[in-house]
Structures are given as C-alpha cells and as structure tokens.
C-alpha cells in the first residue's frame, strides 16, 4: 500500500508543477483559487520559493512564474544523461515517419508530457513539454491507463470522464474495452478526442511488468492514409522495444 504523501512537501510540488505550465504566470490569489488552498498557507511557501529563486514575481502584474532555480535542477538532470537515450529513439521515430513524437507520464488522471520531438512538416501538432491533458481523451493517456486495473481507473474517474471535444469518450465501459485491447498488446488510438483534425497512436512502455511511461505519434487527419498509419504503428513498435530495453539497462524510474 503506498504511503500517504507528506502534506507540506506535496504543497510545494503542487505550486511548482502548477506554475510550470502557466507561461503567463499566476497571482497569489489565482494560485490559491486553482489549488483550492487558503492564501495565508500559500504565501510563506511562495515567498520562500521566490527567495530561493525557484519562483520569480513580476512586480507590475504580481504574477509568479518559475525561476532560475528550476533551470539549475533541470540542467543537473540533463548533465547526468537525462532522457537523452529515449530522446535519440524519439528522433529516429520522427525521422522515419515525419510526424510529432511525444513521451508522457501518468499524473493522477492526466498525462504529463515530459519530452517532445517535432515533426518537420509545416502543418503539425502544437503542444509543449509540461502540458497536461486528461488521460482518457488521448492515445498516450490510454496507453498509460492500461497499466492500471479497471477498479483503479473507476476510482480515478469517480466523478466521470473529462471531455475535451465532442469525440472524447465519456462512457467508462467503452474506455475499459479499449484499455483491455492495449493490455492484450494492441496500440492505443484516438481520433479528434483531444484536438480537432488530429489523430494519435501510442504504446505503453514497460519496466519489470509495470507501465512507467508511454510514447505517442500524432498525425493531422489529412495525412492519415493507410500507409502512413501502418508506418506510424511500425515505428512505435520498434521504439517501444528499444526504450524498454534501455529502461532495463539504465534502470529508468521516470
């Protein structure tokens, strides 16, 4: 049984992770509203993070954004090798299929995008590292959810499945049926469930029989001819084997 998180530590991480995807920043009031926490409890944490350069504040707007301390931590991770072995595999996927490739982790009921290699095509998917989307609405999210049991998924979405477009799956039975196919070795898919005019395919990445991440390729619908889809799936299968092999060698724990 997982241990309960340390509340104060979790609050610090909630603040940093929330501001990491808010390029325009947030005021203390806005941050308190989004985290559903009292300003009085957030203020000393935010003040300390600013003093330690993990946050910075625009004095004119009062908005906080992530600071240089975060860059230093990220640079240390990169200097130790970071995700470079996986990134090299992703670059090969993009070179072969000419479409955007993304790496994601499951964070509660959302996908956290941690790496991306852009398509060289003029018309391509627009996204960024650090973005979060409901896992049920994306192929990469479904690949990640395949690592959970049906009971865990039902608890995760006890309040219902989030909907991004009219095509997003909101019926739990349909989602569970798709996840069963992925667990049986299938490739997760979605078509305009998260973004209009975009389709996506994804595979789960396993280490010691557990899903630790997932890899996806996104393709605009007008390029989704049969040969393109076949190529994308082939690239994902090959990359899946390479990354899972690397995960064992490098003991990845994303």
């Amino acid at each position: 049984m997982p241990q309960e998180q340390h509340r104060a530590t979790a609050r610090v991480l909630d603040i940093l992770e929330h501001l990491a995807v808010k390029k325009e920043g947030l005021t203390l009031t806005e941050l308190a509203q989004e985290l559903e926490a009292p300003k009085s409890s957030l203020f000393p944490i935010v003040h300390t993070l600013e003093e330690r350069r993990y946050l910075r504040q625009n004095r004119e707007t009062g908005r906080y954004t992530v600071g240089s301390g975060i860059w230093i931590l990220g640079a240390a991770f990169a200097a130790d090798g970071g995700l470079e072995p996986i990134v090299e595999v992703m670059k090969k996927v993009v070179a072969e299929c000419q479409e955007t490739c993304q790496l994601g982790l499951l964070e509660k009921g959302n996908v956290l995008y941690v790496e991306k290699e852009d398509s060289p095509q003029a018309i391509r998917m627009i996204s960024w590292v650090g973005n979060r989307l409901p896992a049920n609405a994306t192929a990469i999210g479904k690949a990640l959810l395949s690592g959970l049991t049906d009971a865990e998924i039902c608890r995760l979405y006890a309040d219902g499945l989030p909907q991004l477009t009219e095509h997003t799956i909101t019926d739990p039975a349909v989602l569970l049926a798709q996840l069963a196919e992925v667990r049986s070795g299938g490739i997760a898919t979605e078509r305009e469930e998260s973004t209009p005019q975009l389709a996506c395919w994804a595979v789960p990445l396993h280490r010691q029989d557990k899903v630790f991440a997932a890899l996806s390729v996104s393709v605009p619908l007008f390029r989704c001819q049969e040969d393109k889809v076949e190529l994308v799936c082939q690239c994902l299968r090959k990359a899946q084997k390479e990354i899972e092999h690397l995960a064992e060698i490098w003991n990845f724990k994303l």
Side-chain angles (χ1 to χ4, degrees):
M1 179 180 296
Q3 293 183 339
E4 184 177 350
Q5 293 184 353
H6 185 255
R7 188 172 181 179
T9 305
R11 180 65 77 196
V12 172
L13 296 175
D14 285 343
I15 292 170
L16 293 174
E17 290 175 355
H18 209 74
L19 289 174
V21 296
K22 299 289 184 178
K23 294 184 178 181
E24 72 284 0
L26 292 172
T27 65
L28 183 61
T29 299
E30 292 169 337
L31 185 61
Q33 292 173 342
E34 297 204 12
L35 292 179
E36 297 181 350
K39 287 173 59 176
S40 58
S41 68
L42 292 185
F43 177 75
I45 300 174
V46 169
H47 176 71
T48 300
L49 288 172
E50 184 184 11
E51 287 292 311
R52 298 288 291 269
R53 297 188 298 171
Y54 291 102
L55 294 182
R56 58 183 177 180
Q57 185 187 39
N58 183 311
R59 300 305 180 189
E60 293 184 354
T61 65
R63 293 179 178 273
Y64 290 93
T65 56
V66 294
S68 60
I70 298 295
W71 180 85
I72 293 171
L73 294 180
F77 176 66
D80 192 41
L83 296 176
E84 193 58 33
I86 294 179
V87 171
E88 290 304 311
V89 176
M90 295 173 66
K91 287 180 179 178
K92 289 192 289 185
V93 170
V94 175
E96 189 167 353
C97 70
Q98 298 288 291
E99 302 294 348
T100 298
C101 182
Q102 297 187 107
L103 179 72
L105 308 179
L106 186 62
E107 185 182 78
K108 298 179 181 179
N110 297 317
V111 178
L112 170 61
Y113 293 90
V114 296
E115 192 56 70
K116 175 190 175 189
E117 286 298 319
D118 278 318
S119 163
Q121 305 273 10
I123 299 177
R124 60 182 184 266
M125 179 184 187
I126 302 299
S127 64
W128 60 91
V129 171
N131 189 29
R132 291 171 174 82
L133 288 176
N136 65 291
T138 66
I140 195 170
K142 293 174 188 177
L144 290 165
L145 290 173
S146 71
L148 304 181
T149 66
D150 285 0
E152 288 174 325
I153 291 166
C154 289
R155 287 195 295 270
L156 193 61
Y157 296 111
D159 296 328
L161 299 176
Q163 184 171 9
L164 296 180
T165 75
E166 61 180 344
H167 299 287
T168 304
I169 292 175
T170 55
D171 184 342
V174 175
L175 176 63
L176 293 178
Q178 290 190 359
L179 297 184
E181 293 182 9
V182 178
R183 294 187 192 111
S184 298
I187 292 181
T189 66
E190 65 105 337
R191 189 181 183 91
E192 296 189 287
E193 291 180 46
S194 61
T195 306
Q197 299 300 312
L198 194 73
C200 191
W201 290 263
V203 291
L205 301 172
H206 300 86
R207 180 178 176 275
Q208 297 180 350
D209 297 323
K210 294 186 179 298
V211 175
F212 72 90
L215 193 73
S216 72
V217 171
S218 301
V219 186
L221 288 187
F222 72 90
R223 288 204 295 267
C224 286
Q225 291 83 12
E226 185 176 346
D227 57 342
K228 168 68 77 167
V229 174
E230 183 177 347
L231 176 60
V232 165
C233 291
Q234 289 175 352
C235 288
L236 283 171
R237 288 296 192 200
K238 184 177 179 181
Q240 181 185 40
K241 290 180 180 179
E242 290 187 45
I243 294 174
E244 289 179 347
H245 179 63
L246 287 169
E248 293 298 331
I249 295 175
W250 291 92
N251 192 28
F252 283 137
K253 292 182 180 179
L254 299 181

PDB file of all heavy atoms in Angstrom, residues 139-164:
ATOM      1  N   ALA A 139      -4.511   9.221 -26.839  1.00  0.00           N
ATOM      2  CA  ALA A 139      -3.971   7.877 -27.065  1.00  0.00           C
ATOM      3  C   ALA A 139      -2.855   7.580 -26.079  1.00  0.00           C
ATOM      4  O   ALA A 139      -2.772   6.476 -25.516  1.00  0.00           O
ATOM      5  CB  ALA A 139      -3.453   7.756 -28.495  1.00  0.00           C
ATOM      6  N   ILE A 140      -1.980   8.557 -25.845  1.00  0.00           N
ATOM      7  CA  ILE A 140      -0.878   8.337 -24.910  1.00  0.00           C
ATOM      8  C   ILE A 140      -1.411   8.112 -23.498  1.00  0.00           C
ATOM      9  O   ILE A 140      -0.871   7.314 -22.729  1.00  0.00           O
ATOM     10  CB  ILE A 140       0.121   9.520 -24.966  1.00  0.00           C
ATOM     11  CG1 ILE A 140       1.442   9.144 -24.294  1.00  0.00           C
ATOM     12  CG2 ILE A 140      -0.456  10.777 -24.356  1.00  0.00           C
ATOM     13  CD1 ILE A 140       2.552  10.158 -24.523  1.00  0.00           C
ATOM     14  N   GLY A 141      -2.504   8.797 -23.170  1.00  0.00           N
ATOM     15  CA  GLY A 141      -3.126   8.604 -21.868  1.00  0.00           C
ATOM     16  C   GLY A 141      -3.723   7.218 -21.720  1.00  0.00           C
ATOM     17  O   GLY A 141      -3.622   6.579 -20.666  1.00  0.00           O
ATOM     18  N   LYS A 142      -4.347   6.721 -22.782  1.00  0.00           N
ATOM     19  CA  LYS A 142      -4.916   5.370 -22.743  1.00  0.00           C
ATOM     20  C   LYS A 142      -3.812   4.329 -22.583  1.00  0.00           C
ATOM     21  O   LYS A 142      -3.976   3.338 -21.864  1.00  0.00           O
ATOM     22  CB  LYS A 142      -5.723   5.110 -24.013  1.00  0.00           C
ATOM     23  CG  LYS A 142      -6.975   5.970 -24.140  1.00  0.00           C
ATOM     24  CD  LYS A 142      -7.642   5.752 -25.494  1.00  0.00           C
ATOM     25  CE  LYS A 142      -8.779   6.728 -25.727  1.00  0.00           C
ATOM     26  NZ  LYS A 142      -9.394   6.574 -27.073  1.00  0.00           N
ATOM     27  N   ALA A 143      -2.678   4.572 -23.264  1.00  0.00           N
ATOM     28  CA  ALA A 143      -1.550   3.655 -23.117  1.00  0.00           C
ATOM     29  C   ALA A 143      -1.071   3.634 -21.671  1.00  0.00           C
ATOM     30  O   ALA A 143      -0.747   2.580 -21.122  1.00  0.00           O
ATOM     31  CB  ALA A 143      -0.414   4.069 -24.049  1.00  0.00           C
ATOM     32  N   LEU A 144      -1.050   4.788 -21.025  1.00  0.00           N
ATOM     33  CA  LEU A 144      -0.646   4.876 -19.630  1.00  0.00           C
ATOM     34  C   LEU A 144      -1.676   4.220 -18.713  1.00  0.00           C
ATOM     35  O   LEU A 144      -1.327   3.494 -17.773  1.00  0.00           O
ATOM     36  CB  LEU A 144      -0.455   6.344 -19.228  1.00  0.00           C
ATOM     37  CG  LEU A 144       0.754   7.053 -19.845  1.00  0.00           C
ATOM     38  CD1 LEU A 144       0.630   8.562 -19.678  1.00  0.00           C
ATOM     39  CD2 LEU A 144       2.041   6.556 -19.217  1.00  0.00           C
ATOM     40  N   LEU A 145      -2.943   4.464 -18.977  1.00  0.00           N
ATOM     41  CA  LEU A 145      -4.014   3.899 -18.152  1.00  0.00           C
ATOM     42  C   LEU A 145      -4.066   2.379 -18.239  1.00  0.00           C
ATOM     43  O   LEU A 145      -4.570   1.718 -17.331  1.00  0.00           O
ATOM     44  CB  LEU A 145      -5.369   4.483 -18.562  1.00  0.00           C
ATOM     45  CG  LEU A 145      -5.603   5.956 -18.222  1.00  0.00           C
ATOM     46  CD1 LEU A 145      -6.913   6.433 -18.835  1.00  0.00           C
ATOM     47  CD2 LEU A 145      -5.615   6.169 -16.707  1.00  0.00           C
ATOM     48  N   SER A 146      -3.534   1.815 -19.326  1.00  0.00           N
ATOM     49  CA  SER A 146      -3.550   0.356 -19.477  1.00  0.00           C
ATOM     50  C   SER A 146      -2.729  -0.332 -18.389  1.00  0.00           C
ATOM     51  O   SER A 146      -2.878  -1.533 -18.161  1.00  0.00           O
ATOM     52  CB  SER A 146      -3.011  -0.041 -20.858  1.00  0.00           C
ATOM     53  OG  SER A 146      -1.612   0.187 -20.961  1.00  0.00           O
ATOM     54  N   GLY A 147      -1.887   0.428 -17.701  1.00  0.00           N
ATOM     55  CA  GLY A 147      -1.097  -0.136 -16.620  1.00  0.00           C
ATOM     56  C   GLY A 147      -1.849  -0.227 -15.309  1.00  0.00           C
ATOM     57  O   GLY A 147      -1.331  -0.781 -14.331  1.00  0.00           O
ATOM     58  N   LEU A 148      -3.066   0.318 -15.272  1.00  0.00           N
ATOM     59  CA  LEU A 148      -3.902   0.257 -14.075  1.00  0.00           C
ATOM     60  C   LEU A 148      -4.968  -0.821 -14.233  1.00  0.00           C
ATOM     61  O   LEU A 148      -5.279  -1.236 -15.339  1.00  0.00           O
ATOM     62  CB  LEU A 148      -4.587   1.615 -13.827  1.00  0.00           C
ATOM     63  CG  LEU A 148      -3.692   2.842 -13.700  1.00  0.00           C
ATOM     64  CD1 LEU A 148      -4.544   4.075 -13.445  1.00  0.00           C
ATOM     65  CD2 LEU A 148      -2.665   2.674 -12.593  1.00  0.00           C
ATOM     66  N   THR A 149      -5.532  -1.239 -13.126  1.00  0.00           N
ATOM     67  CA  THR A 149      -6.652  -2.179 -13.182  1.00  0.00           C
ATOM     68  C   THR A 149      -7.934  -1.405 -13.458  1.00  0.00           C
ATOM     69  O   THR A 149      -7.992  -0.179 -13.280  1.00  0.00           O
ATOM     70  CB  THR A 149      -6.809  -2.932 -11.853  1.00  0.00           C
ATOM     71  OG1 THR A 149      -7.184  -1.990 -10.825  1.00  0.00           O
ATOM     72  CG2 THR A 149      -5.513  -3.622 -11.460  1.00  0.00           C
ATOM     73  N   ASP A 150      -8.972  -2.120 -13.878  1.00  0.00           N
ATOM     74  CA  ASP A 150     -10.262  -1.467 -14.124  1.00  0.00           C
ATOM     75  C   ASP A 150     -10.774  -0.787 -12.861  1.00  0.00           C
ATOM     76  O   ASP A 150     -11.346   0.307 -12.911  1.00  0.00           O
ATOM     77  CB  ASP A 150     -11.288  -2.488 -14.622  1.00  0.00           C
ATOM     78  CG  ASP A 150     -11.049  -2.891 -16.070  1.00  0.00           C
ATOM     79  OD1 ASP A 150     -10.088  -2.371 -16.680  1.00  0.00           O
ATOM     80  OD2 ASP A 150     -11.806  -3.728 -16.597  1.00  0.00           O
ATOM     81  N   ALA A 151     -10.567  -1.431 -11.713  1.00  0.00           N
ATOM     82  CA  ALA A 151     -11.035  -0.863 -10.452  1.00  0.00           C
ATOM     83  C   ALA A 151     -10.307   0.446 -10.142  1.00  0.00           C
ATOM     84  O   ALA A 151     -10.921   1.425  -9.690  1.00  0.00           O
ATOM     85  CB  ALA A 151     -10.822  -1.861  -9.315  1.00  0.00           C
ATOM     86  N   GLU A 152      -9.016   0.477 -10.404  1.00  0.00           N
ATOM     87  CA  GLU A 152      -8.232   1.696 -10.163  1.00  0.00           C
ATOM     88  C   GLU A 152      -8.695   2.822 -11.073  1.00  0.00           C
ATOM     89  O   GLU A 152      -8.762   3.990 -10.664  1.00  0.00           O
ATOM     90  CB  GLU A 152      -6.747   1.415 -10.387  1.00  0.00           C
ATOM     91  CG  GLU A 152      -6.117   0.569  -9.296  1.00  0.00           C
ATOM     92  CD  GLU A 152      -4.688   0.166  -9.604  1.00  0.00           C
ATOM     93  OE1 GLU A 152      -4.381  -0.063 -10.810  1.00  0.00           O
ATOM     94  OE2 GLU A 152      -3.874   0.077  -8.670  1.00  0.00           O
ATOM     95  N   ILE A 153      -9.034   2.494 -12.319  1.00  0.00           N
ATOM     96  CA  ILE A 153      -9.497   3.509 -13.269  1.00  0.00           C
ATOM     97  C   ILE A 153     -10.856   4.059 -12.851  1.00  0.00           C
ATOM     98  O   ILE A 153     -11.100   5.267 -12.921  1.00  0.00           O
ATOM     99  CB  ILE A 153      -9.551   2.914 -14.689  1.00  0.00           C
ATOM    100  CG1 ILE A 153      -8.124   2.660 -15.181  1.00  0.00           C
ATOM    101  CG2 ILE A 153     -10.276   3.858 -15.654  1.00  0.00           C
ATOM    102  CD1 ILE A 153      -8.027   1.790 -16.387  1.00  0.00           C
ATOM    103  N   CYS A 154     -11.728   3.183 -12.382  1.00  0.00           N
ATOM    104  CA  CYS A 154     -13.047   3.639 -11.927  1.00  0.00           C
ATOM    105  C   CYS A 154     -12.908   4.567 -10.732  1.00  0.00           C
ATOM    106  O   CYS A 154     -13.641   5.570 -10.626  1.00  0.00           O
ATOM    107  CB  CYS A 154     -13.922   2.436 -11.579  1.00  0.00           C
ATOM    108  SG  CYS A 154     -14.460   1.481 -13.015  1.00  0.00           S
ATOM    109  N   ARG A 155     -11.973   4.283  -9.845  1.00  0.00           N
ATOM    110  CA  ARG A 155     -11.748   5.178  -8.695  1.00  0.00           C
ATOM    111  C   ARG A 155     -11.129   6.493  -9.158  1.00  0.00           C
ATOM    112  O   ARG A 155     -11.462   7.564  -8.640  1.00  0.00           O
ATOM    113  CB  ARG A 155     -10.842   4.502  -7.669  1.00  0.00           C
ATOM    114  CG  ARG A 155     -11.501   3.379  -6.882  1.00  0.00           C
ATOM    115  CD  ARG A 155     -10.679   3.006  -5.658  1.00  0.00           C
ATOM    116  NE  ARG A 155      -9.388   2.446  -6.012  1.00  0.00           N
ATOM    117  CZ  ARG A 155      -9.168   1.152  -6.202  1.00  0.00           C
ATOM    118  NH1 ARG A 155     -10.164   0.287  -6.097  1.00  0.00           N
ATOM    119  NH2 ARG A 155      -7.951   0.716  -6.503  1.00  0.00           N
ATOM    120  N   LEU A 156     -10.241   6.414 -10.134  1.00  0.00           N
ATOM    121  CA  LEU A 156      -9.571   7.608 -10.647  1.00  0.00           C
ATOM    122  C   LEU A 156     -10.555   8.589 -11.259  1.00  0.00           C
ATOM    123  O   LEU A 156     -10.414   9.812 -11.132  1.00  0.00           O
ATOM    124  CB  LEU A 156      -8.527   7.188 -11.692  1.00  0.00           C
ATOM    125  CG  LEU A 156      -7.500   8.216 -12.143  1.00  0.00           C
ATOM    126  CD1 LEU A 156      -6.644   8.684 -10.977  1.00  0.00           C
ATOM    127  CD2 LEU A 156      -6.625   7.628 -13.238  1.00  0.00           C
ATOM    128  N   TYR A 157     -11.580   8.041 -11.927  1.00  0.00           N
ATOM    129  CA  TYR A 157     -12.579   8.885 -12.592  1.00  0.00           C
ATOM    130  C   TYR A 157     -13.948   8.719 -11.944  1.00  0.00           C
ATOM    131  O   TYR A 157     -14.968   8.612 -12.630  1.00  0.00           O
ATOM    132  CB  TYR A 157     -12.649   8.534 -14.079  1.00  0.00           C
ATOM    133  CG  TYR A 157     -11.372   8.830 -14.831  1.00  0.00           C
ATOM    134  CD1 TYR A 157     -10.572   7.800 -15.326  1.00  0.00           C
ATOM    135  CD2 TYR A 157     -10.949  10.138 -15.038  1.00  0.00           C
ATOM    136  CE1 TYR A 157      -9.403   8.064 -16.020  1.00  0.00           C
ATOM    137  CE2 TYR A 157      -9.779  10.418 -15.721  1.00  0.00           C
ATOM    138  CZ  TYR A 157      -9.010   9.376 -16.209  1.00  0.00           C
ATOM    139  OH  TYR A 157      -7.850   9.646 -16.880  1.00  0.00           O
ATOM    140  N   ALA A 158     -13.959   8.713 -10.621  1.00  0.00           N
ATOM    141  CA  ALA A 158     -15.205   8.523  -9.877  1.00  0.00           C
ATOM    142  C   ALA A 158     -16.234   9.610 -10.197  1.00  0.00           C
ATOM    143  O   ALA A 158     -17.446   9.372 -10.116  1.00  0.00           O
ATOM    144  CB  ALA A 158     -14.918   8.495  -8.386  1.00  0.00           C
ATOM    145  N   ASP A 159     -15.743  10.794 -10.583  1.00  0.00           N
ATOM    146  CA  ASP A 159     -16.650  11.913 -10.893  1.00  0.00           C
ATOM    147  C   ASP A 159     -16.985  11.997 -12.379  1.00  0.00           C
ATOM    148  O   ASP A 159     -17.582  12.979 -12.832  1.00  0.00           O
ATOM    149  CB  ASP A 159     -16.029  13.236 -10.437  1.00  0.00           C
ATOM    150  CG  ASP A 159     -15.847  13.299  -8.935  1.00  0.00           C
ATOM    151  OD1 ASP A 159     -16.686  12.700  -8.221  1.00  0.00           O
ATOM    152  OD2 ASP A 159     -14.875  13.923  -8.471  1.00  0.00           O
ATOM    153  N   GLY A 160     -16.586  10.987 -13.155  1.00  0.00           N
ATOM    154  CA  GLY A 160     -16.871  10.980 -14.586  1.00  0.00           C
ATOM    155  C   GLY A 160     -15.639  11.270 -15.414  1.00  0.00           C
ATOM    156  O   GLY A 160     -14.636  11.795 -14.907  1.00  0.00           O
ATOM    157  N   LEU A 161     -15.699  10.913 -16.698  1.00  0.00           N
ATOM    158  CA  LEU A 161     -14.575  11.118 -17.608  1.00  0.00           C
ATOM    159  C   LEU A 161     -14.591  12.544 -18.172  1.00  0.00           C
ATOM    160  O   LEU A 161     -15.600  12.973 -18.722  1.00  0.00           O
ATOM    161  CB  LEU A 161     -14.637  10.107 -18.755  1.00  0.00           C
ATOM    162  CG  LEU A 161     -14.556   8.634 -18.369  1.00  0.00           C
ATOM    163  CD1 LEU A 161     -14.741   7.746 -19.601  1.00  0.00           C
ATOM    164  CD2 LEU A 161     -13.230   8.321 -17.699  1.00  0.00           C
ATOM    165  N   PRO A 162     -13.483  13.269 -18.066  1.00  0.00           N
ATOM    166  CA  PRO A 162     -13.414  14.624 -18.633  1.00  0.00           C
ATOM    167  C   PRO A 162     -13.621  14.592 -20.147  1.00  0.00           C
ATOM    168  O   PRO A 162     -13.213  13.636 -20.817  1.00  0.00           O
ATOM    169  CB  PRO A 162     -11.997  15.080 -18.291  1.00  0.00           C
ATOM    170  CG  PRO A 162     -11.583  14.223 -17.145  1.00  0.00           C
ATOM    171  CD  PRO A 162     -12.240  12.898 -17.375  1.00  0.00           C
ATOM    172  N   GLN A 163     -14.230  15.641 -20.682  1.00  0.00           N
ATOM    173  CA  GLN A 163     -14.498  15.709 -22.118  1.00  0.00           C
ATOM    174  C   GLN A 163     -13.842  16.947 -22.712  1.00  0.00           C
ATOM    175  O   GLN A 163     -14.049  18.062 -22.247  1.00  0.00           O
ATOM    176  CB  GLN A 163     -16.008  15.742 -22.382  1.00  0.00           C
ATOM    177  CG  GLN A 163     -16.366  15.717 -23.859  1.00  0.00           C
ATOM    178  CD  GLN A 163     -17.852  15.532 -24.101  1.00  0.00           C
ATOM    179  OE1 GLN A 163     -18.653  15.589 -23.168  1.00  0.00           O
ATOM    180  NE2 GLN A 163     -18.234  15.312 -25.339  1.00  0.00           N
ATOM    181  N   LEU A 164     -13.028  16.748 -23.765  1.00  0.00           N
ATOM    182  CA  LEU A 164     -12.353  17.856 -24.436  1.00  0.00           C
ATOM    183  C   LEU A 164     -13.028  18.244 -25.746  1.00  0.00           C
ATOM    184  O   LEU A 164     -13.036  19.416 -26.117  1.00  0.00           O
ATOM    185  CB  LEU A 164     -10.887  17.498 -24.691  1.00  0.00           C
ATOM    186  CG  LEU A 164     -10.005  17.286 -23.454  1.00  0.00           C
ATOM    187  CD1 LEU A 164      -8.583  16.948 -23.872  1.00  0.00           C
ATOM    188  CD2 LEU A 164     -10.011  18.518 -22.563  1.00  0.00           C
TER     189      LEU A 164
END
